[in-house]
Amino acid sequence: MNASFHHFSQDDIAQLDRNFRRNFINTLSGFKSLSLCGTINTEGQHNLALMSNIIHIGANPPLLGLLFRPHTVPRHSLENLLATGFFTLNHVRESYLEAAHQASAKYDSEVSEFEAVGLTPQTGTLHPAPYVAEAPVQIGLAYEERHDIAANETILIVGRIVEVQVEQTALQADGYLDLDQTGTLTVAGLDAYFKPAPLGRKPYARP
Amino acid sequence: MNASFHHFSQDDIAQLDRNFRRNFINTLSGFKSLSLCGTINTEGQHNLALMSNIIHIGANPPLLGLLFRPHTVPRHSLENLLATGFFTLNHVRESYLEAAHQASAKYDSEVSEFEAVGLTPQTGTLHPAPYVAEAPVQIGLAYEERHDIAANETILIVGRIVEVQVEQTALQADGYLDLDQTGTLTVAGLDAYFKPAPLGRKPYARP
């Protein structure tokens, strides 16, 4: 092993200070997808939450996954999407990063985070969940299935994409959406935001 | 709706050209985690594959998730990790991006992608799966559980982190691993690589 590396065994990790371990393990997976999740509850109250545990699941049918912390405390986004069947994901750009980060605060259920942080809810005709009007990429999803992770009681929600709105100029002829042009950000760990700079696209690799 | 937006309904997406849809839906989730997955088969042959469908699942116990395409064709990484119980994830930096991308090619099972692309396998004493010696962040995982996604037959593998090696200088006092200093890259869609530039860390948000 290289001397400039710090080595952690399973036991080392188990004995880490709780906050150190949370920061450390959260950065290990690498850069994470970052989106604002919009939902509506059965009383018509909007909810907005900042999410980074998002995974591409498939293109046909079009599916994304979203992982939620254990449902041992109120989880407004999770409760709303289970109750109404719909949610939205909206990319975050630098011009409203402060507002997006503020949406990660734990507001009471009577508060609309849209109002609290100063972003604009926008609903369409296909489903009731609100989009973030300021977002260059807006994705509407229908609840598809749920998987409960036995190891830590987190919940993977699989959503089927039912509507997409993207900035016209960022969409290329082959379907590639230019995330540099949309100004989409990424996050490392719990609180470190980044603006990716393009290194180019690579041709399909063959042996 | 803003006139500069392109709108897709569920039906529009279903009717897209197959390649267009694959590129488009793959970029929608935003920037994705990027790692090389190292495994060994029961004959001792190493395998290396480029992965982007990685998700943080929890810090205590330390868990990561990895999504695999349907097991309808040979999937060496998946087969190896199920057979041996272990796999590694290794961050990708710009100095060996070409080799990492080449590891996404479909090699026969007799070929070690380490040799084929020119990266160095390195094994430790805690488990048999090979790390990428060149990687600034090397994570060893034990198979923990499996979830089959009904909607498209993809397979979510949950791994428990059993060993970590990180460049000492990138690890900060509070456990945050500086992914700018490690030179970790990210990917959008199937083939567009990016180097994230830091925008800073934000304080914990309160209402």
Side-chain angles (χ1 to χ4, degrees):
Chain A
M1 195 186 321
N2 193 309
S4 68
F5 274 65
H6 194 119
H7 178 270
F8 297 87
S9 71
Q10 190 167 5
D11 287 346
D12 295 335
I13 294 169
Q15 285 159 24
L16 289 173
D17 164 78
R18 190 177 180 80
N19 282 326
F20 186 104
R21 181 174 49 229
R22 191 170 54 217
N23 283 321
F24 180 53
I25 302 296
N26 262 282
T27 46
L28 278 186
S29 59
F31 292 102
K32 302 186 289 183
S33 304
L34 181 69
S35 271
L36 286 157
C37 178
T39 56
I40 186 168
N41 73 13
T42 50
E43 277 80 51
Q45 174 71 54
H46 287 158
N47 187 275
L48 190 68
L50 189 62
M51 300 278 180
S52 64
N53 293 331
I54 301 165
I55 191 167
H56 169 81
I57 291 190
N60 189 23
L63 303 166
L64 295 181
L66 197 52
L67 191 86
F68 287 90
R69 302 283 92 203
H71 198 180
T72 49
V73 298
R75 302 278 176 201
H76 301 146
S77 301
L78 177 61
E79 290 159 17
N80 292 351
L81 79 85
L82 290 173
T84 66
F86 293 97
F87 61 107
T88 72
L89 291 172
N90 307 269
H91 286 201
V92 175
R93 59 164 45 145
E94 200 170 353
S95 58
Y96 54 88
L97 173 57
E98 291 296 335
H101 181 70
Q102 185 58 33
S104 66
K106 290 184 179 62
Y107 290 94
D108 291 337
S109 63
E110 313 87 69
V111 177
S112 165
E113 288 86 356
F114 282 99
E115 285 177 35
V117 309
L119 290 169
T120 313
Q122 188 167 48
T123 46
T125 57
L126 299 180
H127 65 82
Y131 294 103
V132 175
E134 289 83 355
V137 180
Q138 304 168 16
I139 311 166
L141 301 108
Y143 170 83
E144 179 80 20
E145 59 187 271
R146 164 187 180 150
H147 294 267
D148 290 37
I149 309 298
N152 70 349
E153 300 185 328
T154 53
I155 299 156
L156 179 74
I157 296 293
V158 177
R160 185 168 32 84
I161 299 174
V162 295
E163 187 174 32
V164 180
Q165 291 159 167
V166 296
E167 283 188 351
Q168 185 83 52
T169 49
L171 188 58
Q172 300 190 354
D174 69 347
Y176 172 73
L177 185 67
D178 185 340
L179 300 188
D180 183 46
Q181 195 156 345
T182 57
T184 298
L185 301 184
T186 180
V187 65
L190 298 165
D191 54 22
Y193 298 96
F194 289 74
K195 173 78 181 73
L199 299 176
R201 296 178 69 184
K202 302 263 180 227
Y204 187 80
R206 298 175 196 285
Chain B
M1 200 183 319
N2 195 310
S4 68
F5 275 65
H6 195 118
H7 179 269
F8 297 88
S9 70
Q10 188 166 6
D11 287 347
D12 295 336
I13 295 169
Q15 286 158 25
L16 289 173
D17 164 78
R18 192 178 178 79
N19 283 327
F20 186 104
R21 182 174 49 229
R22 191 170 53 219
N23 283 321
F24 181 52
I25 302 295
N26 262 281
T27 45
L28 278 186
S29 60
F31 292 102
K32 301 186 290 184
S33 304
L34 181 70
S35 271
L36 286 157
C37 177
T39 56
I40 186 168
N41 72 14
T42 51
E43 278 79 50
Q45 175 70 56
H46 287 160
N47 186 274
L48 189 67
L50 189 61
M51 300 278 180
S52 64
N53 292 332
I54 302 165
I55 191 167
H56 169 81
I57 291 191
N60 187 24
L63 303 166
L64 295 181
L66 197 52
L67 191 87
F68 287 91
R69 301 285 92 207
H71 199 181
T72 49
V73 298
R75 303 277 174 202
H76 302 148
S77 302
L78 177 62
E79 290 158 16
N80 292 352
L81 80 85
L82 290 174
T84 66
F86 293 96
F87 60 108
T88 72
L89 291 173
N90 308 268
H91 286 202
V92 176
R93 57 163 48 145
E94 200 170 355
S95 58
Y96 54 88
L97 173 58
E98 291 296 333
H101 182 70
Q102 186 58 32
S104 66
K106 290 183 178 63
Y107 289 94
D108 291 338
S109 63
E110 313 86 72
V111 177
S112 164
E113 288 87 356
F114 282 98
E115 285 177 35
V117 308
L119 290 169
T120 314
Q122 189 167 47
T123 46
T125 57
L126 299 180
H127 65 83
Y131 295 102
V132 175
E134 289 82 355
V137 180
Q138 304 169 15
I139 311 167
L141 301 106
Y143 170 82
E144 179 79 22
E145 59 185 273
R146 164 187 180 152
H147 293 267
D148 289 37
I149 309 297
N152 70 348
E153 299 185 330
T154 53
I155 299 157
L156 179 74
I157 296 292
V158 177
R160 185 170 29 87
I161 298 174
V162 296
E163 187 174 33
V164 179
Q165 291 158 170
V166 297
E167 283 188 351
Q168 185 83 52
T169 50
L171 187 57
Q172 300 190 353
D174 68 348
Y176 172 74
L177 185 67
D178 185 341
L179 299 187
D180 182 47
Q181 196 156 345
T182 56
T184 298
L185 300 184
T186 179
V187 65
L190 298 165
D191 54 22
Y193 299 95
F194 290 74
K195 174 79 180 74
L199 300 176
R201 296 179 69 185
K202 302 264 179 226
Y204 186 80
R206 299 176 194 282

